[in-house]
């Protein structure tokens, strides 16, 4: 709430003061009274006054003298003054101080309505002025606050880049350490698994015959160890494929597939294969080997119990394909097979890690190519892939 405005009434006659006070009293207004110029000056030292109503005819210090003293001090210079005088209009000339602040004259006998009206005008001006000052101060505060905020934001922006760089370096470092750790754990793990398998194989060879029923357990240990070793390899590849730089060359796909399919088919008695002639592409031979290995492994593996165990490797338009006539799958459920660990055939007795196709997809995508399939349960599957990598 706003503090009340103060009016100073100065008159040597107590009854005049009382009458004026009675006339002007209203809410939001505090009336200060003084019976002499000296007392009025004392009040002006401590109180902020909106308007002074001075009786001109006073002993010792008259109203004009008081007014001139008020005009001489910065603090009271601009207080509007209403003089109350019993003299005529030429009284006005006696006062020097019109430039500094508003001045008005009322002649006795005072007309109450006119005094009230003039007082109200000065009070309105005072209130407006006070509001303007309040708004100015508020603006000052908010512009100071804005300037402070602007400075703060600027400083933050300037340090942001540095902080991002520092954080990125930290993260890269942590990532590097993590990767190193994962690789070394994976390598050690792979070695231990190999040892388990080697030992199991040695036992099978040396004591297989004596073991009788227990031989099966040993064979299971061995095949699980092989699967775990494959899974570790696949996971290591999955991480590496995204990062390693492609080492591009011309690849004779026909020769490569003949050689690879020859090797893999050896593990699947009764399986055969055909490879189309003159298939060539450009790309990273090591990565494409991994992709083909997975596609061919799957084709032989998932057709090994079917009647038709032919695996075909060929080309249709711009896409290469690997086709089998094995168990196939329902395309409807197959949207996730390119994600790691997604297997449709778990429980069907085909060993696998579920990472192979995820690796194939990453490799094909690194060659700016695409991979897709056609399959039907019991009718076999065809995996197509395109390659758009070109050697510089
Ligand atoms: P997995 O090690 O299980 O073979 P992949 O990532 O190579 O893992 O394949 C994911 C899944 O896709 C397999 O578990 C299998 O269900 C299905 N799949 C892949 N290739 C074939 C295929 N030629 N015939 C039938 N199913 C396949």
């Amino acid at each position: 709430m706003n503090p009340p405005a103060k009016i100073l009434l100065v008159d040597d006659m107590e009854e005049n003061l009382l009458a004026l006070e009675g006339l002007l009293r209203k809410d939001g207004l505090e009336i200060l009274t003084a019976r002499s110029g000296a007392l009025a000056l004392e009040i002006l030292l401590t109180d902020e006054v909106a308007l002074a109503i001075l009786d001109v005819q006073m002993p010792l210090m008259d109203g004009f003298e008081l007014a001139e003293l008020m005009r001489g001090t910065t603090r009271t210079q601009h207080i509007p003054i209403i003089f109350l005088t019993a003299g005529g209009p030429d009284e006005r000339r006696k006062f020097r101080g019109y430039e500094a602040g508003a001045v008005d004259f009322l002649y006795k006998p005072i007309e109450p309505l006119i005094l009230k009206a003039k007082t109200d005008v000065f009070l309105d001006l005072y209130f407006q002025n006070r509001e303007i000052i309040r708004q100015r101060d508020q603006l000052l505060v908010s512009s100071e606050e804005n300037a402070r905020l602007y400075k703060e934001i600027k400083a933050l922006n300037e340090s942001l880049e540095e902080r991002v760089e520092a954080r990125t370096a930290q993260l890269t470092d942590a990532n590097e350490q993590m990767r190193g750790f994962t690789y070394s754990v994976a390598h050690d793990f792979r070695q231990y698994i190999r040892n388990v398998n080697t030992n199991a194989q040695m036992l099978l060879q040396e004591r297989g015959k004596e073991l009788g029923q227990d031989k099966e357990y040993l064979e299971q240990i061995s095949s699980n160890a092989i699967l775990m070793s494959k899974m570790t390899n696949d996971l290591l590849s999955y991480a590496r494929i995204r990062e390693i730089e492609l080492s591009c060359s011309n690849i004779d796909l026909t020769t490569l597939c003949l050689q690879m399919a020859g090797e893999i088919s050896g593990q699947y008695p009764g399986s055969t294969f055909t490879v189309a002639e003159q298939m060539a592409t450009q790309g990273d031979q090591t990565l494409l080997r991994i992709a083909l290995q997975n596609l061919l492994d799957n084709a032989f593996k998932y057709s090994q119990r079917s009647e038709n165990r032919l695996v075909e490797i060929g080309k249709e338009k711009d896409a290469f394909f690997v086709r089998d006539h094995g168990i196939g799958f329902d395309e409807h459920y197959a949207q996730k097979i390119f994600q790691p660990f997604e297997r449709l055939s778990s429980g069907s007795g085909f060993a696998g890690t579920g990472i192979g196709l995820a690796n194939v997809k990453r490799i094909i995508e690194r060659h700016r190519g695409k991979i897709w399939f056609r399959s039907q349960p019991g009718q076999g599957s065809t995996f197509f892939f395109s390659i758009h990598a070109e050697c510089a």
Side-chain angles (χ1 to χ4, degrees), residues 288-307:
L288 288 178
R289 251 181 176 280
I290 298 177
L292 283 169
Q293 177 83 33
N294 279 302
L295 291 174
L296 293 174
D297 265 344
N298 283 347
F300 284 108
K301 177 168 73 179
Y302 293 111
S303 61
Q304 68 182 293
R305 294 182 202 150
S306 306
E307 259 175 44

Side-chain angles (χ1 to χ4, degrees), residues 298 301-302 324 329 337 342-345 352-354 356-357 381:
N298 283 347
K301 177 168 73 179
Y302 293 111
D324 65 67
F329 52 84
I337 56 170
E342 290 292 342
R343 304 197 69 215
L344 303 174
S345 46
T353 61
L357 284 182
S381 316

